[in-house]
């Protein structure tokens, strides 16, 4: 409520040309609710925006992005975290944070099934204005964290495999 709308205020209401003397003289808005109050308990919308505008933006990433967003909608979790390959912020997986155990569980993507706080190397926050992630100087996971990286040695390196040949040559 602005000061001109408070009871007892005798300022002129320029919108409708009358003196606003009571809240009753201001009609109550009954139209559709345009602003949705962000939930302090969930970062679902932040992660949705980060995936759509930053991590998996573009037509080429659309199938993967849609699969991940579907998993988010199905999940009953409130807090989601993105796993990056390294500081270049390349998307690898989506995790959910368990508040009781501080353990992260993989929801979708490629990475360890569970991540403990000791495995975390870097912590990031999504800046929705700039549509990018910035590293934050924190060491512990909290509800304000949107993404993380794990230590390099935890990534499994894929060894090139060649098909095994039989003991003899076909005749």
């Amino acid at each position: 409520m602005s000061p001109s709308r408070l009871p007892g205020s005798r300022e002129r209401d320029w919108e409708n040309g009358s003196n606003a003397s009571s809240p009753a003289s201001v009609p109550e808005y009954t139209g559709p609710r345009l602003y949705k109050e962000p939930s302090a308990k969930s970062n679902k919308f932040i992660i949705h925006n980060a995936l759509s505008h930053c991590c998996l933006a573009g037509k080429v990433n659309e199938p993967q992005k849609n699969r991940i967003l579907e998993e988010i909608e199905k999940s009953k979790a409130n807090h989601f975290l993105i796993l990056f390959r390294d500081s270049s912020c390349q998307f690898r997986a989506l995790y959910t944070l368990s508040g009781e155990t501080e353990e992260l569980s993989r929801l979708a993507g490629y990475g360890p099934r569970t991540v403990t706080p000791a495995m975390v190397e870097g912590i990031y926050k999504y800046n929705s204005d700039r549509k990018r992630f910035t590293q934050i100087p924190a060491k512990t996971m909290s509800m304000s964290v949107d993404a993380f990286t794990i230590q390099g040695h935890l990534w499994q390196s894929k060894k090139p495999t060649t098909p095994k040949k039989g003991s003899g040559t076909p005749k």
Side-chain angles (χ1 to χ4, degrees):
M1 216 178 222
S2 68
S4 67
R5 305 248 190 256
L6 292 174
S9 175
R10 295 286 176 201
E11 288 186 28
R12 184 153 174 80
D13 185 350
W14 295 106
E15 288 176 8
N16 57 20
S18 68
N19 287 332
S21 58
S22 72
S25 68
V26 178
E28 188 66 34
Y29 178 72
T30 56
R33 202 167 164 181
L34 302 175
Y35 174 73
K36 187 171 185 178
E37 191 71 37
S39 170
K41 295 180 181 175
S42 178
N43 71 341
K44 185 185 282 192
F45 298 108
I46 293 169
I47 296 298
H48 186 290
N49 285 339
L51 291 170
S52 299
H53 301 293
C54 182
C55 301
L56 298 172
K59 200 78 170 156
V60 70
N61 293 318
E62 193 130 352
Q64 184 183 13
K65 177 183 72 179
N66 290 338
R67 268 195 317 273
I68 304 286
L69 294 177
E70 214 172 273
E71 290 297 325
I72 290 175
E73 291 306 316
K74 283 194 264 180
S75 175
K76 290 184 178 18
N78 282 333
H79 195 75
F80 301 90
L81 291 125
I82 295 170
L83 171 66
F84 291 138
R85 174 66 178 95
D86 51 30
S87 61
S88 66
C89 299
Q90 185 180 23
F91 177 86
R92 281 291 176 244
L94 184 72
Y95 285 77
T96 57
L97 176 63
S98 169
E100 302 87 48
T101 62
E102 290 187 12
E103 199 171 78
L104 301 164
S105 302
R106 186 180 66 212
L107 190 65
Y110 303 101
R113 244 185 225 116
T114 58
V115 174
T116 61
M119 298 164 72
V120 175
E121 186 174 59
I123 296 176
Y124 297 81
K125 179 104 183 99
Y126 183 65
N127 183 333
S128 54
D129 287 346
R130 293 184 172 179
K131 294 181 174 48
R132 68 178 194 176
F133 286 87
T134 51
Q135 190 164 9
I136 54 176
K139 293 291 178 201
T140 56
M141 287 293 184
S142 70
M143 297 310 255
S144 64
V145 174
D146 298 321
F148 67 100
T149 56
I150 57 175
Q151 297 161 12
H153 71 276
L154 296 169
W155 288 104
Q156 295 175 349
S157 59
K158 284 193 172 184
K159 296 175 184 148
T161 57
T162 54
K164 291 188 177 183
K165 293 183 178 175
S167 58
T169 54
K171 296 181 179 179

